[in-house]
Amino acid sequence: MVNFFSVYKFILHGIMKLVGVRPQTVEIEPGTIMNFWVSSNIPNKIANTPKKSKPAVVFLHGFTMDGIFTWQLQVLSLAKNYTVYVPDFLFFGGSITDKSDRSPEFQAECVAKGLRSMGVERCTLVGFSYGGMVGFKMAELYPNLVESIVVTGSVLALTRSISDASLERLGFKCWPDYLLPNSVKDVRNMLEIATYKFPYLPDWIYKDCFEVMFGNRKEREELLGALVVDDKVSTIADFPQAIGRQRKTAVYRGGRPPFAYRKTLRFQQAAQGNSCFFFGRCAPRLKRPFMFLLFKN
């Protein structure tokens, strides 16, 4: 029987290519290859703005799906007015490495090098969950590259205390038990926990998801192990984007940000070059995807 997710990914990739978003394989260094989905030079609808000056937006995915599967609706919404980059983190999609480093810092380094190799000088990051933590590392380590960042469903760093408290609340002993399902039942449980009022889906959907979405299990388990840091060594980074250039920083912990009462979440500060940090329990990318957009009036 044909796997639903395999067919859907084939169709999705075709749609992306039709709208000018195509995959590019970038050799970060010998033994390390990262896949990016990149929007090509397509007509620009921002008034009086040359093609080459279109803002660069980089979407960083979470731990379950690859980049283009995670951000498909947002990419389709933004590709005409922005230069969109969607990397697959190492051991997701087509990205691999023979290095032993599994830290978020190494992921951030690889994404930054890949963007630089494609000529990106300044960009806005949009990160979800695991991608948010990698995004914060990029903002810290590469302030000349990262102009602003929007993050949801994430934290600055997954400290041991945050990790233990979260696992206890979720009812798991370790993150691989939650994020690397071992059965169809585990897949259903993971998705129902991660979303609010998750819709009913037949078991064969979860079965197909389990068969194709959780490869490179050993390496991904190592990524999760490297994600947790000791509280004693964890520090809050000094983000020059917010302080050195006197730009505004907005931090929201849980629930909706105060400007989310309209039909669209407008992260205008980030799109226009202001640092905008947003993270909390809600995940509008999943529950209300068309509201999770960056754009300019």
Side-chain angles (χ1 to χ4, degrees):
M1 185 176 178
V2 177
N3 186 286
F4 170 79
F5 284 90
S6 296
V7 174
Y8 183 79
K9 288 182 72 173
F10 176 80
I11 296 173
L12 175 63
H13 291 180
I15 292 173
M16 289 296 167
K17 293 174 183 178
L18 286 175
V19 300
V21 181
R22 300 180 181 277
Q24 292 189 24
T25 300
V26 179
E27 185 179 31
I28 307 301
E29 56 186 63
T32 301
I33 296 174
M34 184 163 275
N35 180 66
F36 288 78
W37 285 83
V38 183
S39 60
S40 57
N41 290 328
I42 51 182
N44 185 10
K45 290 189 177 182
I46 298 180
N48 303 319
T49 304
K51 289 182 181 180
K52 292 184 179 180
S53 65
K54 289 194 298 184
V57 179
V58 182
F59 286 100
L60 305 174
H61 64 83
F63 203 83
T64 303
M65 308 291 183
D66 63 23
I68 204 64
F69 201 98
T70 300
W71 295 107
Q72 53 189 284
L73 297 176
Q74 290 74 28
V75 169
L76 291 172
S77 298
L78 298 178
K80 289 185 179 180
N81 291 337
Y82 294 84
T83 305
V84 176
Y85 298 85
V86 187
D88 288 326
F89 289 133
L90 298 172
F91 306 113
F92 293 85
S95 301
I96 58 172
T97 184
D98 59 4
K99 304 296 185 295
S100 60
D101 194 342
R102 302 289 185 261
S103 66
E105 290 86 351
F106 186 57
Q107 296 275 23
E109 177 186 345
C110 290
V111 174
K113 287 183 177 180
L115 293 172
R116 290 295 196 196
S117 72
M118 290 183 285
V120 179
E121 297 181 355
R122 299 285 282 168
C123 66
T124 291
L125 301 181
V126 184
F128 169 67
S129 186
Y130 179 72
M133 286 177 267
V134 175
F136 279 126
K137 283 298 178 184
M138 286 185 63
E140 176 186 356
L141 299 174
Y142 303 96
N144 293 328
L145 173 65
V146 179
E147 186 170 16
S148 52
I149 179 172
V150 180
V151 171
T152 185
S154 188
V155 291
L156 287 168
L158 188 60
T159 62
R160 176 62 62 184
S161 59
I162 293 176
S163 176
D164 291 346
S166 299
L167 289 170
E168 182 178 1
R169 185 174 66 253
L170 294 171
F172 293 93
K173 293 182 179 180
C174 61
W175 289 110
D177 288 349
Y178 173 45
L179 294 172
L180 294 174
N182 290 303
S183 67
V184 174
K185 181 181 178 181
D186 290 345
V187 176
R188 179 192 291 272
N189 189 38
M190 179 190 68
L191 294 176
E192 288 179 347
I193 291 174
T195 57
Y196 178 67
K197 292 184 178 180
F198 193 75
Y200 169 80
L201 294 175
D203 285 342
W204 64 267
I205 291 288
Y206 296 105
K207 178 177 179 294
D208 285 0
C209 179
F210 179 66
E211 289 177 353
V212 301
M213 292 295 183
F214 302 99
N216 297 319
R217 295 182 66 91
K218 176 180 177 295
E219 290 82 3
R220 293 190 189 185
E221 186 170 345
E222 292 170 350
L223 290 175
L224 290 172
L227 191 59
V228 181
V229 297
D230 190 272
D231 291 73
K232 295 180 180 180
V233 300
S234 178
T235 59
I236 298 177
D238 182 9
F239 292 101
Q241 296 92 337
I243 299 174
R245 300 173 189 178
Q246 297 181 348
R247 292 175 175 173
K248 296 179 180 179
T249 302
V251 180
Y252 303 101
R253 298 178 184 272
R256 282 187 182 178
F259 52 87
Y261 64 93
R262 296 185 178 182
K263 293 183 179 180
T264 305
L265 293 178
R266 300 189 179 192
F267 295 105
Q268 284 181 292
Q269 288 183 332
Q272 294 173 355
N274 294 311
S275 300
C276 179
F277 303 137
F278 162 49
F279 56 97
R281 293 171 296 176
C282 59
R285 179 197 63 80
L286 294 173
K287 294 184 286 185
R288 306 178 75 178
F290 289 106
M291 294 176 61
F292 196 77
L293 305 175
L294 282 89
F295 63 94
K296 292 182 180 179
N297 286 339

